[in-house]
Amino acid sequence: MNEKLTVNEAQLKLEYYCSYQERCHQEVVQKLYDLGMESNEVDAIVVHLLQNNFLKEERFARSFARGKFRIKHWGKNRIVNELKQRQISAPNIKCGLTEISDEEYHDTFEKLAQRHWETIKETNVHKKKKKFCDYLLRKGWESNLVYDKLKELSF
């Protein structure tokens, strides 16, 4: 059985964990509990990580929003919901969304919608429309954008 880590060892592990990739507070706290740390030790390590700039909620929100938008092509609704699920504060969520320019957002939506519409192999028009809408809504794009694009593509 593994021996319990000391506070310094856990602190070093978490410094590496946070420097490797941006992390939110929730992930760090969970990792510490998984390592077998106690509540007061977790608090001390989190404070150390915050003071030494290993952990910063705003930086995480910006990085998360930028990455999920550019790599996975998520819409703002999905990004906001995922950040809320990670217990990121509303001001930091708003700050994270500033990483996405309106022009880039609409260009990405247009390309994604067009590409998906063309790849749906459904012959039934109603089913094709439903698949199109479900896909884009699941990715977090605003319903008004999705339905406007649907009208444009289906006529």
Side-chain angles (χ1 to χ4, degrees):
M1 178 133 188
N2 292 344
E3 292 183 25
K4 187 174 182 283
L5 293 174
T6 66
V7 174
N8 285 339
E9 290 171 337
Q11 195 169 290
L12 287 172
K13 266 187 185 271
L14 268 290
E15 284 177 3
Y16 176 76
Y17 182 69
C18 291
S19 62
Y20 173 72
Q21 175 183 320
E22 287 298 331
R23 308 287 180 177
C24 66
H25 289 40
Q26 183 184 15
E27 289 173 316
V28 169
V29 169
Q30 185 58 52
K31 178 78 169 171
L32 285 166
Y33 282 121
D34 290 348
L35 290 173
M37 304 307 289
E38 294 176 12
S39 184
N40 60 338
E41 296 169 329
V42 169
D43 293 341
I45 293 170
V46 169
V47 167
H48 167 78
L49 294 172
L50 287 167
Q51 288 173 341
N52 292 291
N53 214 17
F54 285 101
L55 191 59
K56 191 168 184 179
E57 198 174 75
E58 179 186 336
R59 194 174 59 211
F60 171 78
R62 286 178 178 273
S63 173
F64 184 89
R66 196 174 44 245
K68 296 300 182 187
F69 171 70
R70 293 200 178 123
I71 296 167
K72 292 194 172 202
H73 305 295
W74 284 3
K76 290 180 181 178
N77 291 342
R78 175 98 184 252
I79 293 169
V80 167
N81 288 337
E82 293 287 334
L83 286 170
K84 282 180 182 176
Q85 191 175 359
R86 288 169 171 76
Q87 299 167 354
I88 304 299
S89 66
N92 285 329
I93 291 174
K94 190 175 182 182
C95 191
L97 291 177
T98 62
E99 292 291 306
I100 304 168
S101 72
D102 289 339
E103 184 181 326
E104 187 180 8
Y105 190 72
H106 289 288
D107 287 348
T108 300
F109 174 75
E110 291 295 324
K111 288 176 191 169
L112 183 67
Q114 187 67 45
R115 186 174 60 224
H116 189 65
W117 180 258
E118 292 167 1
T119 61
I120 300 173
K121 300 290 186 222
E122 185 63 56
T123 54
N124 183 324
V125 177
H126 295 295
K127 285 183 180 179
K128 183 173 183 171
K129 287 179 180 180
K130 181 173 179 3
K131 285 182 179 185
F132 175 80
C133 291
D134 287 350
Y135 174 78
L136 291 171
L137 292 172
R138 189 172 50 251
K139 282 215 168 249
W141 295 93
E142 292 82 348
S143 56
N144 61 326
L145 288 175
V146 173
Y147 296 128
D148 289 348
K149 189 66 178 177
L150 179 65
K151 287 177 191 170
E152 179 188 316
L153 289 171
S154 61
F155 293 108

